[in-house]
Amino acid sequence: EPARAAAEACFGRRDLPIYKLDQAETIISFGADFVETWGSPVEYARQFAQFRAPKVRKGNLSIGNAAYVGPRLNSTAAKCDEWVASNAGAEGAVAMAVLNVVVNQGWVASDAGGDAAALKTLVADYDPDKISTQTGVSADQIKKIANWFGQATDGAVALAGTSDPQAHLAALILNAITGNV
């Protein structure tokens, strides 16, 4: 239900998004254990294997970056480059802090539309330095995964798998403002 409510708030439709992990350069999962239990784990595990296959990016052969934000080291967290161990229930606040960095760095697609001032107002209370103590995640970790996401030239995907509507909303907004819908 939180995912459907976020989709309706962002896009005016209650449809669940379809993610294409295999086409991304960066993946950030806010509590979505897509390798084990979330969504369609068989399909997402297949896509994640394709995501991990080396590709030429920025003239170099490389694999993408993946981060999992959540309190438990699960299968998805273990397969990602970064397990961002957060306090239980803090995934939404971390997602908003990542959104704060992306917006304030100006890593917003020119064709994403929306009001830049409204976005800055939305994320104003989620400065990574302030959110750090509340979430148990260092500001440096938040900035690192935000940099991965915001600077991805071949696309990035944010997923949310918690019961927190804020996490779903932040993930959808991250995808939308970076042109990854």
Side-chain angles (χ1 to χ4, degrees):
E1 180 55 30
R4 290 187 186 280
E8 185 171 30
C10 285
F11 306 116
R13 299 174 57 166
R14 294 182 56 78
D15 302 337
L16 294 175
I18 297 170
Y19 298 98
K20 301 203 178 201
L21 307 182
D22 54 341
Q23 296 177 20
E25 177 182 336
T26 298
I27 299 169
I28 300 177
S29 173
F30 300 100
D33 186 7
F34 59 85
V35 170
E36 196 171 345
T37 60
W38 182 81
S40 178
V42 173
E43 174 61 16
Y44 288 134
R46 183 197 66 75
Q47 287 185 26
F48 191 69
Q50 288 293 321
F51 164 80
R52 282 297 193 202
K55 296 179 182 87
V56 176
R57 292 184 174 100
K58 302 173 192 161
N60 297 314
L61 190 62
S62 66
I63 62 171
N65 296 311
Y68 179 85
V69 178
R72 187 174 81 83
L73 178 60
N74 56 31
S75 295
T76 302
K79 293 193 177 293
C80 286
D81 301 299
E82 288 280 324
W83 169 38
V84 180
S86 67
N87 295 338
E91 297 91 345
V94 175
M96 291 297 286
V98 168
L99 182 58
N100 174 294
V101 174
V102 170
V103 167
N104 286 310
Q105 289 294 325
W107 294 322
V108 177
S110 58
D111 60 349
D115 180 359
L119 276 173
K120 287 188 178 193
T121 301
L122 175 71
V123 298
D125 293 335
Y126 295 94
D127 179 81
D129 295 316
K130 293 178 185 173
I131 289 297
S132 182
T133 55
Q134 172 192 338
T135 62
V137 177
S138 75
D140 288 340
Q141 271 191 305
I142 292 170
K143 291 172 186 173
K144 178 179 182 177
I145 64 174
N147 284 336
W148 285 356
F149 198 88
Q151 295 183 359
T153 57
D154 289 340
V157 174
L159 320 157
T162 73
S163 58
D164 181 0
Q166 182 182 49
H168 291 276
L169 194 59
L172 289 176
I173 293 170
L174 276 165
N175 291 330
I177 67 169
T178 54
N180 297 305
V181 175

